[in-house]
Amino acid sequence: MQKLTLISFGFKYGIPNANYYFDVSFAKNPARESRWSLFDQPDNQMVDYVLSQPKVNDFISALLPMMDVIITLDDDARIALGCNAGRHRSAIIVEHVAAKMRAKGVDVDVIHREWKK
């Protein structure tokens, strides 16, 4: 089975240990909307807000086939998606992409570096 690690992170805290990086800061930041704060965990409305953006869908549509190739070339693919703080946009997109890859039978680990438990 192919192995994939997806990491969400905030650029302002430095880059994590990964072998592929993508910046998702192009997505509108939900933390700038009055209904959420910088420290809110993603809820269903926030997920819909991020994933309903056409640019996000275009990015995901391009990323998924690229990930299919990467996992055939790299037996320990670690792909990191970052935004400014790593708490919303990158985390939401990582969760969505992880679900898509799992549906294809890929073993996916997810790390949200900036989420404090």
Side-chain angles (χ1 to χ4, degrees), residues 23-38:
D23 184 352
V24 296
S25 299
F26 61 85
K28 292 179 187 171
N29 190 345
R32 298 195 188 282
E33 297 291 315
S34 61
R35 56 190 153 166
W36 298 296
S37 77
L38 179 60

Side-chain angles (χ1 to χ4, degrees), residues 2-105:
Q2 296 157 320
K3 180 77 172 84
L4 171 65
T5 302
L6 294 174
I7 305 162
S8 69
F9 73 99
F11 279 102
K12 70 181 185 177
Y13 305 113
I15 60 170
N17 182 18
N19 33 12
Y20 307 92
Y21 299 89
F22 296 93
D23 184 352
V24 296
S25 299
F26 61 85
K28 292 179 187 171
N29 190 345
R32 298 195 188 282
E33 297 291 315
S34 61
R35 56 190 153 166
W36 298 296
S37 77
L38 179 60
F39 299 102
D40 284 342
Q41 291 288 325
D43 59 17
N44 290 337
Q45 290 179 329
M46 187 187 294
V47 169
D48 290 345
Y49 176 84
V50 172
L51 295 180
S52 69
Q53 297 174 38
K55 289 180 182 180
V56 171
N57 285 295
D58 290 347
F59 172 77
I60 292 169
S61 293
L63 180 64
L64 290 171
M66 187 181 322
M67 290 173 72
D68 290 337
V69 172
I70 289 170
I71 61 175
T72 65
L73 302 173
D74 192 333
D75 61 357
D76 185 22
R78 297 176 57 84
I79 300 174
L81 303 179
C83 57
N84 185 45
R87 293 186 185 105
H88 302 118
R89 295 170 289 179
S90 61
I92 289 167
I93 294 170
V94 159
E95 286 292 334
H96 183 73
V97 168
K100 295 281 190 187
M101 296 304 287
R102 286 180 182 127
K104 295 179 182 185

